[in-house]
């Protein structure tokens, strides 16, 4: 009997944790969706107007500058909260809000975090090693980098936006569940 009471109390605590954590998770996912959207909708179009050498130098500077605490809080914070929210959602899969939360976290974890780590970061690292003054193929490097990087950025933008939409739907459903 005592074990059942402790188990029930633990479930209530975990349910409340999911309710509380949905807000910062939504905020951080939303910030990241906006960050990636800004690149898809304007930054890369502006950088594309630069000559090859200026484009490569600008991206090298951006890629260096983006490694900072503000970006880290949003990017890694959303990933960490997504992981926690995934675990909490797995405990309540009978609830629509938990399924929506799980889907949102998978979109962010795979489509945003995963694509960034597996695709965009290696592209940035490779571009960072280019020494413009000693490279005679900067046009090809730029063309390939731009095409690949924007493709993967568009994927992570769409995944982030989808994660936000799904988490908003989960929050809506959460308010209607018993």
């Amino acid at each position: 009997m005592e074990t059942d009471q402790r188990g029930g109390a633990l479930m209530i605590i975990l349910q409340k944790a999911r309710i509380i954590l949905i807000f910062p998770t939504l905020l951080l996912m939303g910030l990241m969706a906006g960050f990636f959207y800004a690149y898809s909708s304007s930054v890369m179009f502006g950088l594309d107007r630069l000559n090859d050498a200026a484009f490569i130098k600008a991206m090298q500077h951006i890629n260096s500058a983006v490694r900072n605490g503000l970006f880290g809080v949003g990017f890694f914070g959303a990933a960490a909260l997504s992981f926690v929210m995934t675990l909490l959602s797995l405990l309540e899969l009978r609830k629509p809000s938990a399924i929506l939360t799980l889907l949102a976290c998978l979109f962010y974890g795979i489509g945003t975090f995963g694509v960034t780590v597996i695709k965009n970061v290696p592209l940035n690292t490779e571009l960072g090693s280019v020494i413009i003054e000693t490279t005679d193929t900067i046009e090809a490097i730029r063309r390939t980098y731009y095409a690949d990087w924007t493709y993967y950025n568009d994927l992570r933008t769409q995944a982030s936006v989808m994660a936000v939409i799904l988490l908003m739907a989960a929050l809506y459903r959460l308010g209607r569940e018993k």
Side-chain angles (χ1 to χ4, degrees), residues 30-96:
L31 288 172
M32 294 316 302
F35 178 83
F36 295 126
Y37 175 74
Y39 275 86
S40 289
S41 65
S42 64
V43 173
M44 294 309 289
F45 292 135
L47 291 175
D48 196 34
R49 294 178 179 181
L50 299 173
N51 66 47
D52 297 330
F55 172 86
I56 291 171
K57 200 55 136 170
M59 283 304 298
Q60 287 173 333
H61 287 297
I62 289 169
N63 292 334
S64 175
V66 79
R67 292 188 297 265
N68 65 67
L70 289 174
F71 177 79
V73 167
F75 184 68
F76 294 108
L81 286 171
S82 291
F83 178 74
V84 172
M85 292 295 285
T86 297
L87 296 177
L88 294 172
S89 296
L90 289 172
L91 298 172
E92 299 188 276
L93 280 179
R94 68 187 188 293
K95 295 183 178 180

Side-chain angles (χ1 to χ4, degrees), residues 127-177:
L127 189 71
S129 68
V130 171
I131 301 170
I132 295 167
E133 297 76 24
T134 62
T135 304
D136 57 354
T137 59
I138 62 170
E139 180 185 351
I141 291 169
R142 180 247 179 94
R143 186 175 49 250
T144 301
Y145 176 86
Y146 185 88
D148 292 347
W149 195 94
T150 54
Y151 173 79
Y152 292 116
N153 189 68
D154 289 347
L155 279 180
R156 64 188 180 175
T157 301
Q158 293 164 16
S160 294
V161 169
M162 196 65 201
V164 168
I165 291 168
L166 286 164
L167 208 53
M168 287 190 307
L171 184 59
Y172 174 80
R173 286 295 307 175
L174 195 58
R176 285 157 174 63
E177 293 172 352

